[in-house]
Every structure is written in structure tokens, then in C-alpha cells.
């Protein structure tokens, strides 16, 4: 019989322990334990179940196709804090040695939650509520085209983007996007100003994080990562926003900016001077990483771009490509030449580290 997972035990697993309290509680409420007797397999090499399996109790062997035991995992150990043979398709089989209690977490849901938590990190700024809200920045289109990312968009795409954008008027205090909603549009401020607000368990009313003005854009990260909105945007003043549908954003802006390379192509680029950035959490990076890579977690990336060299090509990687896609967009948006490692670390991970 399955039971809901003990939250204290659940909190010990990586990278679940990095989730914010709301996402952690939601995931824990969907996760149950399962008992598997000795001699049975939890999964076999080649399986594609999209589940991250964690060992709560018992002992498991990770074995090769030939039956060779490559790793023995005991509940409560440091290795047991990480998912068992988590790459998909499975690189190894997991055979129960001593009756085991395991939990299975939807890998896709976990990855989306991690991406949601780690994107949208705005710098905290002082917001002066006494401002009149009059435009300070001039023409929004000129400002937009001066950003590094838009230098790389084909002129035909830009022309189509401006032709297909909708103009929407907003009143002071009106909510443009709500934290937790699905992504539907990419927005650019044509006139007025808006406030970025992040809801937290202790402050459900939201914490003001940043102020956005004419020419500033937002909403792209939920579209890139297929995650929910990670912040609320509320108008400070009366204003007009230009918005681009998800479909047109992906076709006109996302695709031209996203450059994918295979693991072999990445190795060749690194040999010629490119740098590899691993945007996973430090606990994930410490378990295994590609030699020579640098760990800059996605949630730190915006604050670390000042230390990167615009003359260097950067290849970003993570487990699945979701977090690295967001990272690549952030870097390209800031004028860097960034690439995403296709299929994440699946092609680079040795079986014994899986």
C-alpha cells in the first residue's frame, strides 16, 4: 500500500531540497512511497519512464547490461540523496538487494518547478511611489532594437514581429501577468511603468522586486521553459504594452536566438576556446559534472554576466535542456554568443555517474 511521503525525508533529496516552500509542498502532496521486495527491479536499462526515483529505505544495486554491479546504494547515504540512475533512457538497471521503500517523482514536473524557481531573478531596487509615471525613456522600439539580442534577429522576423504585435492599454494598479499562470504572451512596455512582484509564503501579497519602464520587456521565460509565470507584473502608472503571442514569440524570436550543439560539437568548440557553463544547482554539479565546466546556477546567472567575456563563446548545459535554454536566452539577450547543449548531459554522463 502506498502512502504520502514524509516531508522531512522528502526535503533531504537533491534537487528537491532547492524548491521554494510552495512548490515543495505541491510536489510532496503528489508523491507516494512504494515498497519493492528484494530481487525485483525498480527499473531496467533502456526504460524511459520520466520518473526520478529516490531510495527511502533498503539497499539497491545499479547494474550494467551484463549484470555487473557498478554501484551499491544504501538508504540514508550521501548517494541516496540523489535520484537513482536518473538519465533517460536508463543507462543502468536498479535491482533491489534488501527490501526497499522508494518514491517516484515526475521528472518533467520537477524540472519545470526548478526552472520556474530559478528564472526571473530581478535585482531589488528602491521604488519611488511619488513618481508621476510620465515616460522617461523615449521611443520603446528604438530602445528594444538597441539591445544585444535583437541585433541577431533577422530583419524579416523583426518586421513581422512589429506587424503582429497587439497594443493593449492598462490602468494604474492593473495586473498584466499573475504569478503561477501559464505563459501566453511576451510583453514590451510602450508607455508607462510597471512593478515586478514576487509572492512568497511569508508575504503572499508580494514583495516588490524591480521597476520596469519604456522599452523593457518581460514574460519570455515562461514561454522558453514551458513553466508557469514566476512573478506578477502590476502597472504603476497608466500605460500601453505591446504583446506578442506565444506562437509568434517562438517562431520569430526564440528560434533565431536558440543555438543548439551536440556533445561532440561542444567538445570541439571547447577545444577552440569556448567555455562550458553548467547551470544546475551546486548539489547537482558536485555529484558529477564535465571536467573544465564552470557552475553558475541559473538563478545566479543574471548577476554573474558582468564577469563573463563577450569575446568568448559559451555553451550552457543542464540535465534536460530546459534550464539551459533559459540560460542561453538570458546570455544572448545580453549580447553574449551562447549555445545550448542538446539533450542536456545525457550524452556526456558516464554510466557509473548516472
Amino acid at each position: 500500500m502506498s502512502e504520502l511521503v514524509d516531508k522531512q525525508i522528502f526535503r533531504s533529496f537533491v534537487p528537491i531540497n532547492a524548491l521554494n516552500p510552495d512548490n515543495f509542498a505541491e510536489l510532496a502532496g503528489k508523491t507516494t512511497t512504494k515498497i519493492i521486495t528484494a530481487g525485483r527491479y525498480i527499473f531496467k536499462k533502456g526504460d524511459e519512464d520520466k520518473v526520478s526515483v529516490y531510495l527511502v529505505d533498503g539497499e539497491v544495486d545499479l547494474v550494467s547490461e551484463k549484470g555487473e554491479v557498478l554501484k551499491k546504494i544504501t538508504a540514508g547515504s550521501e548517494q541516496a540523496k540523489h535520484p537513482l540512475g536518473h538519465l533517460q533512457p536508463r543507462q543502468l538497471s536498479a535491482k533491489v538487494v534488501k527490501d526497499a521503500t522508494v518514491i517516484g517523482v515526475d521528472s518533467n514536473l520537477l524540472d519545470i518547478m526548478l526552472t520556474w524557481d530559478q528564472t526571473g531573478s530581478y535585482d531589488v531596487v528602491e521604488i519611488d511611489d511619488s513618481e508621476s509615471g510620465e515616460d522617461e525613456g523615449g521611443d520603446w522600439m528604438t530602445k528594444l532594437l538597441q539591445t544585444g539580442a535583437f541585433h541577431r534577429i533577422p530583419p524579416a522576423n523583426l518586421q513581422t514581429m512589429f506587424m503582429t504585435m497587439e497594443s493593449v492599454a492598462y490602468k494604474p494598479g492593473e495586473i498584466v501577468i499573475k504569478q503561477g499562470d501559464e505563459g501566453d504572451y511576451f510583453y514590451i512596455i510602450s508607455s508607462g511603468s510597471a512593478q515586478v512582484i514576487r509572492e512568497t509564503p511569508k508575504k503572499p501579497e508580494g514583495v516588490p522586486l524591480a521597476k520596469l519602464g519604456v522599452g523593457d520587456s518581460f514574460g519570455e521565460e515562461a514561454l522558453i521553459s514551458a513553466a508557469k509565470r514566476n512573478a506578477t507584473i502590476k502597472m504603476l502608472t497608466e500605460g500601453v504594452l505591446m504583446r506578442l503571442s506565444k506562437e509568434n514569440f517562438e517562431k520569430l524570436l526564440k528560434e533565431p536566438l536558440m543555438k543548439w550543439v551536440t556533445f561532440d560539437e561542444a567538445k570541439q568548440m571547447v577545444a577552440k576556446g569556448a567555455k562550458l557553463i553548467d547551470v544546475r544547482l551546486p548539489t547537482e554539479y558536485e555529484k558529477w559534472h564535465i571536467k573544465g565546466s564552470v557552475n553558475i546556477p541559473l538563478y545566479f546567472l543574471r548577476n554573474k554576466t558582468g564577469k563573463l567575456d563577450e569575446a568568448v563563446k559559451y555553451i550552457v548545459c543542464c540535465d534536460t535542456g530546459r534550464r539551459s535554454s533559459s540560460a542561453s536566452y538570458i546570455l544572448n539577450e545580453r549580447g553574449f554568443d551562447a549555445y545550448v547543449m542538446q539533450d542536456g548531459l545525457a550524452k556526456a554522463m558516464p554510466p557509473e555517474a548516472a
Side-chain angles (χ1 to χ4, degrees):
M1 185 177 73
S2 61
E3 298 179 356
L4 282 177
V5 66
D6 183 294
K7 289 186 178 180
Q8 186 173 354
I9 295 174
F10 201 50
R11 178 62 81 180
S12 68
F13 296 129
V14 177
I16 293 169
N17 57 3
L19 291 173
N20 72 38
D22 288 338
N23 284 336
F24 174 81
E26 181 180 346
L27 195 63
K30 297 178 178 178
T31 306
T32 57
T33 61
K34 181 179 180 181
I35 297 176
I36 302 178
T37 55
R40 296 181 62 190
Y41 286 86
I42 302 172
F43 54 78
K44 292 187 177 181
K45 186 181 186 309
D47 287 352
E48 291 192 60
D49 48 28
K50 307 300 181 186
V51 175
S52 294
V53 179
Y54 293 89
L55 182 62
V56 177
D57 193 24
E59 190 173 283
V60 172
D61 282 346
L62 295 181
V63 299
S64 68
E65 196 169 18
K66 297 179 180 180
E68 179 186 4
V69 177
L70 298 181
K71 190 179 293 184
K72 187 177 291 291
I73 310 294
T74 304
S77 67
E78 189 64 30
Q79 289 181 325
K81 293 180 180 179
H82 299 267
L84 302 173
H86 70 290
L87 293 182
Q88 302 274 342
R90 301 289 186 183
Q91 306 296 298
L92 302 170
S93 298
K95 185 177 181 179
V96 176
V97 179
K98 295 180 181 177
D99 289 0
T101 301
V102 300
I103 60 172
V105 178
D106 184 317
S107 298
N108 193 52
L109 177 60
L110 174 58
D111 197 52
I112 286 175
M113 286 181 168
L114 286 168
T115 305
W116 183 22
D117 277 3
Q118 294 174 51
T119 55
S121 302
Y122 295 90
D123 293 329
V124 178
V125 297
E126 293 295 328
I127 300 175
D128 186 356
D129 294 328
S130 66
E131 290 182 11
S132 65
E134 295 182 0
D135 297 343
E136 302 173 353
D139 181 53
W140 67 273
M141 194 178 297
T142 301
K143 278 194 165 185
L144 188 71
L145 294 175
Q146 287 174 344
T147 61
F150 284 87
H151 292 170
R152 303 180 188 183
I153 303 296
N157 288 37
L158 292 175
Q159 183 180 17
T160 304
M161 180 188 78
F162 290 130
M163 289 174 62
T164 55
M165 275 186 153
E166 300 176 80
S167 176
V168 184
Y170 288 88
K171 297 177 180 179
E174 193 170 353
I175 300 296
V176 182
I177 62 175
K178 177 70 174 174
Q179 182 174 326
D181 286 351
E182 299 293 333
D184 50 3
Y185 289 97
F186 167 67
Y187 293 88
I188 302 169
I189 299 179
S190 173
S191 66
S193 60
Q195 187 178 61
V196 182
I197 300 169
R198 187 72 183 264
E199 297 173 14
T200 67
K202 293 183 178 179
K203 291 194 174 182
E205 72 279 8
V207 178
L209 295 182
K211 177 181 174 182
L212 304 176
V214 173
D216 288 332
S217 59
F218 60 89
E220 71 275 10
E221 285 163 342
L223 305 184
I224 294 168
S225 60
K228 296 179 181 179
R229 299 293 191 187
N230 50 45
T232 293
I233 306 293
K234 182 174 75 173
M235 295 301 295
L236 287 172
T237 70
E238 186 176 280
V240 175
L241 302 186
M242 307 301 294
R243 70 182 190 183
L244 188 68
S245 69
K246 178 179 180 178
E247 180 183 357
N248 284 326
F249 172 83
E250 291 179 344
K251 180 172 61 178
L252 301 172
L253 298 183
K254 178 183 174 180
E255 289 180 12
L257 282 179
M258 302 301 283
K259 294 175 289 187
W260 299 81
V261 294
T262 64
F263 175 60
D264 288 337
E265 289 170 336
K267 287 196 297 184
Q268 293 172 13
M269 291 174 65
V270 169
K272 295 179 181 178
K275 301 293 184 183
L276 187 61
I277 298 177
D278 189 323
V279 296
R280 296 176 300 159
L281 295 166
T283 47
E284 296 174 282
Y285 180 82
E286 287 167 7
K287 184 191 178 191
W288 186 88
H289 58 268
I290 298 175
K291 186 177 180 180
S293 63
V294 176
N295 183 215
I296 306 179
L298 179 56
Y299 58 84
F300 279 149
L301 189 60
R302 280 185 173 83
N303 296 330
K304 296 292 185 180
T305 54
K307 296 184 179 180
L308 300 180
D309 187 348
E310 291 188 6
V312 172
K313 292 182 179 181
Y314 290 99
I315 304 162
V316 287
C317 64
C318 66
D319 276 340
T320 64
R322 180 175 278 112
R323 279 180 277 177
S324 47
S325 293
S326 293
S328 173
Y329 190 93
I330 290 170
L331 292 174
N332 281 310
E333 193 177 34
R334 283 154 177 75
F336 294 95
D337 191 7
Y339 300 75
V340 184
M341 186 182 291
Q342 189 174 322
D343 298 323
L345 291 168
K347 301 296 183 183
M349 186 80 77
E352 63 271 17

